[in-house]
């Protein structure tokens, strides 16, 4: 792209050569296209910068050692950070005409150092496409997937029963994709979309799933799968199977709960077709969204599959090795239903609940037996079906005390082995054998000041809901957003609290920007609850009609420790959270992250004025991001100079202002359907957020009044003398054109008023990391002393308004960045008032005291500078005496 377009300045020079020193009106479309192109590159750079900073922030959190992660997390974060860094380097080089080529060299050197560390933990290929559980342990997770590796570990290391079965490894996956030419085609299609485009995501997902399912399983792979089944079950065709996803990284630091397909009651003849359906579920809309939010790179994606003998369960359920939401309760918690397990995790029926002590005897402390009218059972012709629970069993416990203690013993052993709380699925076989179907880390956290959280409802806050079940603990606050249908998720706001009738794993697409979830029906041990715990989203199940009690848009605080919802923001609860212990420190995976982070996270380029602030000084990806971000501002800042050289292709702003403002719209800067008359638009037709805020200040009646300013005659004579004697002011007269280059969230405003000029460059959107204001003010018609006093007065004002300010001679530079949209708008309003306020400030800068005096007047809102007078002279004349 850089080769085709080259340096934008060179393109402007070519226009001059072809059409003379003053371009004609016909230049408009071509010039506008060039500005739009540069702005598009700038936006790409800002997005990449924001994404890279998110990766760095996440790495920082992991380096605290409080959150569980694995090698797959490291690989994905490395890939993401390198991708975003490259995007920033490329965008800056293209928009500048390849002025910063050395950045590519710096990036390559950093990449080389990172890869050296990553390759120390290089994943080997699976030894075969199919492996028996007798061959598997946790060390095989990189090709057998988390679920298979865990089952092999449980069977072979702990001696705990698991179902008979085998793993179809990632070698089988790659064989299927490579021989059918699927990988490149799917990646190409997926790269065309952004996962938040909900309708497009669903459409593409359906196409890819059908594409995968339409391709044949290679004969050699099919033969391996069928041979493994025959080795376990001989010629018995009545054996029914469960095929479950075992994605790489699943049931480790990422749970993937409910994201991929599970098929129950699969016949021997259906294995290969079922296998294709499982691996195709990698591309369901919700799993694509999940991986994107967790930083899993699809180019490195692989799916292993667990092929297990179906257990015609008498009972099934879930075991937590500590209570999943009552953080003071470290007992073992068991849910049980009659029949197969899905009715337990999907919340179809109310399960039995058993509580077991972790004492030596595994004492059964409590049994709450539920009435269960229906159960899910195997259909021996294939598949599953719902049947009534026999009447004598409906009110009877699913497990007796001995079975409860045996199962609790398995749970305690799993927690000791994995050194963290576990979320376990289990089944009771017809012969009374208890089998472990799955075990994964239980995502929990603990608050400080728990006595506060367990107290009675807090006074002073209206209580909207009470007595709710807790699916994922925590405290969250935000505006309520009603989800009546899955399509509503496309409009879900950042920081919203999701309120819905039923739980659903589909809500994963908004969990990364969700402050809380309230549902009226669902299971605290279901898939959505597991995902909510993983994302750290406070989630409750309400016994009442939450949608009716909580109007849409109401600001609410979700207390997912006591099961309450308050109206408004309850700061006492929001501040009552503490982090987990740093249990990851000392592990091999933590050590590798530390070593990689040295080349990613530290920031060495701090001062843009320092000589080391150069491509050669970039030693980390953070340095690269800092450099590109800084110089992207400079590149955009310069477009005001380019704009001033071209006439006849901009729109004039029709406003009562003492300057001639012309507009260049980069896209969505004007309201849709804006009416243009005589090549001019009115203020009301401006849609650009930062420009509207600037104009609000410039048109402020208080600062833009008609009353004359106080005249200091010695100051006036100084200005007139400087105008007469200083040839540099020729052409910089009152009324010279000012240019506003605008987009919906962007503004570059170059103002030439009288004998001074200013340039404002600003981005103002919903993403705080992208937001900034750069401001420069220079020039004037007075002598150098008065000009310096004026810029120091401006600097003093800006400093008090939150800007970082530097002054050199008669030039002031100010910067403000990473503030919320509303704050950026308020500062733009101030800059608008300041531009009008400073028009004739030169003549008043007669003494040093005038610097502070002018600043105090502006901050106090005295824009007309009606200074007190003593002995016939303004106070400013006496201030320096």
């Amino acid at each position: 792209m850089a080769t085709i377009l080259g340096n934008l300045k060179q393109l402007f020079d070519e226009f001059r050569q072809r059409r003379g020193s003053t371009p004609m009106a016909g230049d408009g479309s071509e010039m506008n296209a060039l500005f739009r192109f540069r702005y598009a590159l700038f936006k790409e750079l800002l997005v990449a910068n924001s994404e890279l900073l998110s990766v760095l922030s996440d790495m920082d959190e992991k380096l605290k050692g409080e959150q569980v992660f694995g090698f797959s997390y490291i690989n994905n974060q490395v890939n993401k950070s390198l991708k975003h860094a490259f995007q920033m380097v490329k965008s800056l080089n293209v928009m500048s005409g390849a002025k910063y080529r050395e950045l590519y060299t710096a990036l390559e050197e950093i990449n080389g150092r990172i890869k050296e560390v990553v390759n120390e933990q290089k994943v080997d290929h699976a030894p075969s496409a199919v492996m028996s559980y007798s061959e598997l342990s946790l060390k095989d997770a990189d090709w057998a997937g988390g679920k298979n590796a865990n089952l092999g570990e449980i069977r072979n290391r702990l001696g705990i029963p698991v179902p008979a079965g085998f793993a179809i490894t990632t070698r089988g996956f790659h064989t299927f994709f490579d021989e059918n030419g699927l990988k490149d085609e799917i990646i190409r299609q997926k790269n065309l979309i952004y996962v938040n485009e909900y309708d497009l995501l669903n459409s593409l997902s359906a196409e890819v799933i059908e594409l995968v399912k339409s391709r044949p399983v290679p004969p050699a792979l099919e033969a391996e799968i069928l041979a493994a089944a025959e080795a376990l079950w001989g010629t018995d065709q009545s054996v029914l199977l469960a095929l479950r996803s075992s994605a790489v990284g699943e049931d480790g630091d990422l749970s993937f709960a409910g994201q991929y397909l599970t098929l129950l009651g699969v016949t021997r003849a259906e294995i290969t077709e079922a296998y294709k359906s499982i691996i195709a579920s990698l591309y369901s809309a919700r799993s694509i969204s999940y991986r994107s939010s967790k930083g899993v790179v699809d180019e490195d994606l692989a799916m292993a599959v667990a092929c297990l003998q179906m257990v015609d369960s008498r009972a099934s359920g879930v075991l937590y090795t500590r209570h999943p939401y009552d953080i003071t309760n470290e007992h073992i918690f068991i849910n049980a239903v009659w029949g197969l397990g899905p009715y337990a995790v999907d919340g179809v029926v109310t399960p039995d609940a058993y509580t077991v002590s972790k004492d030596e005897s595994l004492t059964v402390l409590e049994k709450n037996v539920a009435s269960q009218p229906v159960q899910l059972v195997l259909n021996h012709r294939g598949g599953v079906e719902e049947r009534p629970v026999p009447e004598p069993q409906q009110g009877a416990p699913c497990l007796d005390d001995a079975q409860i203690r045996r199962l609790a013993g398995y749970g305690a052993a799993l927690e000791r082995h994995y050194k963290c709380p576990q979320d376990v699925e289990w089944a009771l076989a017809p012969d009374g054998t208890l089998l472990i179907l799955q075990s994964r880390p239980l995502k929990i956290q603990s608050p400080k000041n728990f006595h506060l959280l367990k107290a009675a409802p807090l006074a002073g806050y209206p209580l909207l809901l009470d007595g709710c079940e807790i699916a994922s603990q925590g405290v969250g606050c935000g505006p309520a957003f009603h989800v009546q249908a899955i399509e509503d998720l496309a409009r879900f706001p950042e920081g919203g609290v999701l309120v819905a009738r039923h739980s659903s794993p589909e809500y994963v697409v908004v969990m990364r920007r969700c402050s809380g979830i309230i549902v009226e029906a669902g299971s605290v041990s279901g898939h959505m609850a597991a995902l909510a715990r993983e994302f750290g989203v406070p989630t409750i199940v309400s016994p009442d009609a939450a949608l009716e009690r909580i109007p849409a848009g109401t600001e609410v605080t979700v207390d997912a420790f006591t099961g309450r919802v308050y109206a408004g923001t309850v700061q006492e609860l929001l501040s009552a959270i503490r982090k987990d212990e740093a249990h990851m420190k000392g592990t091999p995976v933590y050590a590798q992250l530390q070593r990689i982070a040295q080349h990613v996270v530290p920031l060495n380029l701090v001062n843009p004025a320092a000589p080391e602030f150069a491509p050669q000084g970039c030693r980390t990806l953070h340095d690269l991001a800092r450099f590109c971000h800084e110089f992207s501002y400079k590149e955009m800042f310069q477009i005001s100079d380019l704009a001033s050289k071209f006439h006849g292709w901009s729109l004039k702003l029709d406003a009562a202002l003492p300057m001639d403002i012309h507009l260049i719209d980069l896209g969505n800067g004007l309201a849709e359907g804006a009416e243009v008359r005589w090549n001019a638009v009115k203020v009301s037709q401006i849609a650009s957020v930062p420009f509207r805020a600037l104009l609000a200040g410039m048109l402020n009646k208080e600062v833009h009044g008609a009353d004359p300013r106080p005249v200091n005659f010695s100051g006036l004579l100084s200005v007139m003398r400087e105008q007469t004697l200083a040839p540099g002011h020729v052409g910089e007269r009152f009324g010279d054109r000012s240019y506003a280059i605008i987009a919906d969230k962007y503004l570059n405003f170059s103002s030439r008023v009288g004998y001074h000029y200013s340039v404002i460059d600003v981005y103002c959107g919903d993403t705080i990391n992208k937001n900034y204001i750069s401001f420069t003010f220079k020039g004037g018609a007075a002598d150098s002393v008065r000009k310096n006093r004026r810029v120091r007065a401006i600097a003093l004002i800006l400093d008090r308004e939150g800007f970082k300010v530097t002054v050199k001679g008669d030039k002031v530079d100010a910067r403000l960045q990473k503030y919320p949209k509303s704050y950026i708008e308020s500062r733009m309003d101030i800059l608008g008032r300041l531009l009008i306020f400073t028009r004739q400030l030169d003549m008043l800068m007669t003494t040093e005291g005038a610097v502070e005096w002018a600043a105090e007047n502006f901050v106090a809102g005295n824009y007309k500078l009606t200074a007190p007078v003593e002995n016939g002279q303004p106070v400013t004349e006496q201030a320096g005496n």
Side-chain angles (χ1 to χ4, degrees):
M1 191 178 292
T3 303
I4 296 172
L5 294 169
N7 193 323
L8 286 178
K9 184 177 182 301
Q10 181 179 343
L11 289 175
F12 285 120
D13 291 341
E14 291 174 1
F15 275 111
R16 291 191 188 97
Q17 292 171 8
R18 291 202 309 267
R19 301 179 181 178
S21 60
T22 304
M24 298 179 295
D27 293 337
S29 62
E30 294 173 85
M31 291 296 99
N32 201 281
L34 287 174
F35 277 104
R36 285 170 183 263
F37 174 67
R38 178 175 274 199
Y39 177 60
L41 290 167
F42 179 59
K43 286 199 297 183
E44 286 179 5
L45 190 148
L46 289 182
V47 169
N49 179 69
S50 182
E51 292 293 331
L52 180 53
L53 290 178
S54 295
V55 173
L56 301 184
S57 176
D58 193 61
M59 280 191 175
D60 274 331
E61 283 298 311
K62 294 296 191 296
L63 286 169
K64 294 176 182 177
E66 298 162 351
Q67 301 177 31
V68 177
F69 61 92
F71 289 111
S72 60
Y73 163 83
I74 295 176
N75 291 335
N76 285 311
Q77 294 300 81
V78 165
N79 287 333
K80 283 178 67 176
S81 60
L82 288 169
K83 169 189 169 186
H84 297 315
F86 176 77
Q87 180 64 59
M88 294 185 73
V89 170
K90 183 184 78 171
S91 296
L92 180 61
N93 269 285
V94 175
M95 67 192 287
S96 68
K99 284 161 56 176
Y100 307 98
R101 291 188 187 94
E102 299 92 338
L103 290 173
Y104 288 111
T105 302
L107 177 59
E108 188 58 37
E109 290 174 355
I110 296 168
N111 180 35
R113 294 195 294 270
I114 291 173
K115 292 302 182 186
E116 285 180 13
V117 182
V118 170
N119 289 337
E120 293 171 5
Q121 188 63 32
K122 194 172 179 65
V123 175
D124 294 324
H125 292 295
S128 60
V130 178
M131 297 178 68
S132 165
Y133 283 136
S134 63
E135 304 174 83
L136 294 175
S137 65
L138 273 184
K139 65 178 176 58
D140 303 309
D142 286 318
W143 57 72
K147 192 176 278 99
N148 282 321
N150 277 332
L151 286 175
E153 182 82 359
I154 292 166
R155 176 190 184 278
N156 301 319
R157 297 285 299 277
L158 298 179
I160 295 175
V162 300
F166 56 88
I168 307 174
T169 69
T170 55
R171 173 170 284 193
F173 174 89
H174 291 305
T175 297
F176 177 81
F177 267 60
D178 291 346
E179 294 196 18
N180 285 300
L182 287 168
K183 187 172 182 179
D184 291 340
E185 185 171 353
I186 291 173
I187 290 173
R188 179 181 58 78
Q189 290 191 55
K190 270 192 81 272
N191 283 343
L192 296 176
I193 69 160
Y194 180 60
V195 294
N196 283 349
E197 295 179 11
Y198 194 78
D199 294 337
L200 186 56
L201 175 60
N202 280 325
S203 173
L204 181 76
S205 167
E207 291 178 16
V208 173
I209 287 173
E210 286 307 310
L211 176 66
V212 174
K213 291 167 69 174
S214 70
R215 300 297 169 87
V217 175
L221 176 59
E222 183 175 26
E224 272 195 79
I225 294 171
L226 297 180
E230 186 172 348
L232 284 173
W233 303 297
T235 59
D236 185 359
Q237 297 299 314
S238 67
V239 172
L240 296 178
L241 307 173
L243 266 70
R244 311 184 73 182
S245 68
S246 186
V248 174
E250 192 172 4
D251 294 345
D253 51 298
L254 304 179
S255 73
F256 291 87
Q259 297 309 297
Y260 301 136
L261 187 63
T262 291
L263 294 177
L264 305 178
V266 177
T267 66
R268 295 273 294 274
E270 297 169 335
I271 292 178
T272 54
E273 287 302 311
Y275 171 70
K276 290 195 294 183
S277 295
I278 299 292
I279 60 176
S281 71
L282 275 169
Y283 300 100
S284 70
R286 67 189 188 194
S287 63
I288 292 172
S289 179
Y290 178 92
R291 291 194 301 274
S292 174
S293 68
K294 290 298 184 181
V296 179
V297 181
D298 276 15
E299 284 83 343
D300 300 325
L301 200 61
M303 169 77 83
V305 174
C307 189
L308 305 163
Q309 182 173 353
M310 279 291 298
V311 180
D312 195 3
S313 310
R314 284 167 39 192
S316 305
V318 178
L319 175 149
Y320 301 118
T321 61
R322 60 167 295 161
H323 204 287
Y325 49 82
D326 184 350
I327 59 173
T328 63
N329 187 344
E330 296 191 5
H331 299 312
I332 294 169
F333 181 74
I334 300 172
N335 275 351
V337 297
W338 293 111
L340 301 176
Y343 274 18
V345 297
D346 293 342
V348 177
V349 298
T350 301
D352 289 357
Y354 312 131
T355 305
V356 183
S357 170
K358 287 181 182 173
D359 60 23
E360 190 174 339
S361 301
L362 295 171
T363 305
V364 180
L365 301 174
E366 187 178 0
K367 290 194 295 184
N368 293 314
V369 179
S371 178
Q372 301 177 27
V374 295
Q375 61 182 327
L376 190 68
V377 299
L378 278 178
N379 181 326
H380 291 283
R381 293 186 300 275
V384 295
E385 62 185 13
E386 181 179 288
R387 291 181 192 167
V389 174
E391 194 167 334
Q393 289 179 228
Q394 287 188 13
C398 297
L399 299 176
D400 61 32
D401 284 7
Q403 292 166 332
I404 292 171
R405 284 194 295 272
R406 191 186 324 144
L407 185 58
Y410 290 164
L414 288 166
E415 184 176 71
R416 286 193 301 271
H417 182 73
Y418 288 109
K419 296 181 175 60
C420 66
Q422 293 292 294
D423 174 352
V424 182
E425 292 182 22
W426 59 270
L428 178 65
D431 63 0
T433 302
L434 280 163
L435 301 168
I436 300 301
L437 307 180
Q438 177 174 295
S439 187
R440 61 187 176 214
L442 175 63
K443 309 288 184 180
I444 56 174
Q445 69 179 77
S446 301
K448 61 184 178 181
N449 302 328
F450 189 75
H451 65 281
L452 170 67
L453 303 177
K454 294 295 286 186
L458 294 171
Y461 301 97
L463 190 63
L464 301 178
L465 296 174
D466 199 358
C468 302
E469 286 190 280
I470 296 141
S472 174
Q473 61 189 8
V475 176
C477 180
F481 183 87
H482 289 186
V483 175
Q484 304 278 12
I486 295 300
E487 290 73 25
D488 294 337
L489 297 174
R491 299 181 291 103
F492 192 84
E494 187 74 31
V497 172
L498 189 155
V499 186
R501 299 284 182 202
H502 300 280
S503 64
S504 171
E506 298 279 0
Y507 298 158
V508 70
V509 299
V510 299
M511 282 186 184
R512 60 178 165 174
R513 59 180 188 273
C514 187
S515 296
I517 297 175
I518 305 166
V519 295
E520 297 176 0
S523 170
V524 298
S525 57
H527 289 313
M528 188 200 75
L531 290 166
R533 287 192 293 273
E534 182 176 331
F535 277 80
V537 181
T539 302
I540 59 176
V541 181
S542 170
D544 300 309
L547 286 165
E548 281 70 37
R549 291 202 174 193
I550 305 175
T554 303
E555 188 79 9
V556 297
T557 298
V558 180
D559 175 4
F561 288 113
T562 62
R564 299 181 182 123
V565 177
Y566 296 92
T569 301
V570 184
Q571 194 59 49
E572 297 99 310
L573 296 177
L574 293 171
S575 61
I577 307 298
R578 69 172 171 82
K579 298 290 186 180
D580 291 336
E581 298 300 318
H583 55 274
M584 287 295 292
K585 291 184 178 179
T587 63
V589 66
Y590 182 86
Q592 190 188 59
L593 180 62
Q594 274 188 311
R595 295 182 61 198
I596 287 174
Q598 294 173 4
H599 309 296
V600 178
V601 176
L603 180 62
N604 305 295
L605 301 188
V606 179
N607 180 10
E612 61 270 17
F613 201 97
Q616 296 81 1
C618 295
R619 302 200 301 272
T620 67
L621 295 182
H622 200 169
D623 289 337
L624 280 172
R626 176 77 175 90
F627 184 92
C628 292
H629 199 231
E630 180 71 26
F631 279 87
S632 69
Y633 291 160
K634 295 182 184 299
E635 292 298 326
M636 291 304 292
F637 210 73
Q638 292 167 3
I639 66 175
S640 58
D641 294 330
L642 299 174
S644 65
K645 297 180 171 75
F646 294 89
H647 305 296
W649 55 283
S650 58
L651 299 173
K652 186 179 180 186
L653 181 68
D654 183 2
L657 287 169
M659 61 185 74
D660 191 16
I661 299 179
H662 289 253
L663 308 179
I664 301 167
D665 184 13
L666 300 178
N668 302 315
L670 298 177
E672 187 175 352
E675 185 178 357
V676 179
R677 287 190 174 184
W678 305 103
N679 207 40
V681 294
K682 295 185 179 296
V683 172
S684 60
Q685 296 171 315
I686 301 298
S688 171
V689 173
F691 192 36
R692 284 182 67 91
L694 182 74
L695 289 172
M698 295 177 73
L699 293 168
N700 185 300
K701 291 181 180 179
E702 295 296 321
V703 72
H704 197 59
D707 294 346
R709 294 172 182 263
V711 177
N712 179 286
F713 287 102
S714 64
L716 178 60
L717 290 173
S718 172
V719 171
M720 294 175 64
R721 182 171 58 252
E722 185 69 13
Q723 290 178 25
T724 304
L725 298 178
H729 291 301
V730 175
E732 285 190 13
R733 63 187 184 280
F734 183 85
D736 277 358
R737 288 189 175 208
S738 297
Y739 279 91
I741 302 169
I742 61 174
D744 52 350
K745 301 172 185 175
Y746 176 74
L747 166 68
N748 182 286
F749 182 70
S750 58
S751 167
R752 288 166 172 79
V753 180
Y755 296 91
H756 59 256
Y757 76 87
S758 62
V759 181
I760 303 171
D761 199 71
V762 55
Y763 191 93
C764 180
D766 294 324
T767 305
I768 290 177
N769 275 342
K770 298 180 186 178
N771 291 343
Y772 72 90
I773 301 173
S774 288
F775 174 71
T776 288
F777 190 98
K778 187 181 186 333
D783 58 77
S784 60
V785 173
R786 293 172 190 262
K787 286 192 287 188
N788 178 258
R789 287 173 182 164
R790 183 192 55 194
V791 297
R792 284 191 286 120
I794 292 171
L796 193 57
I797 292 169
L798 293 175
D799 180 74
R800 292 178 180 179
E801 298 295 355
F803 287 81
K804 183 179 179 181
V805 184
T806 58
V807 174
K808 291 184 179 179
D810 67 344
K811 180 171 176 282
V812 58
D813 292 293
R815 170 77 67 84
L816 184 149
Q817 59 185 1
K818 297 184 181 179
Y819 279 92
K821 176 183 175 183
S822 59
Y823 188 81
I824 296 289
E825 289 180 274
S826 70
R827 301 308 93 175
M828 291 300 295
D829 184 286
I830 288 170
L831 287 180
R833 284 179 269 145
L834 188 63
L835 290 179
I836 303 300
F837 178 79
T838 57
R839 280 183 301 140
Q840 299 175 42
L841 203 57
D842 293 6
M843 67 182 68
L844 299 177
M845 297 291 104
T846 56
T847 68
E848 276 299 306
V851 175
E852 180 73 29
W853 174 77
E856 287 180 353
N857 271 274
F858 182 89
V859 173
N862 179 22
Y863 305 120
K864 299 174 185 177
L865 290 177
T866 52
V869 175
E870 294 181 10
N871 300 322
Q873 294 292 330
V875 171
T876 52
E877 282 288 90
Q878 301 173 1
N881 296 333

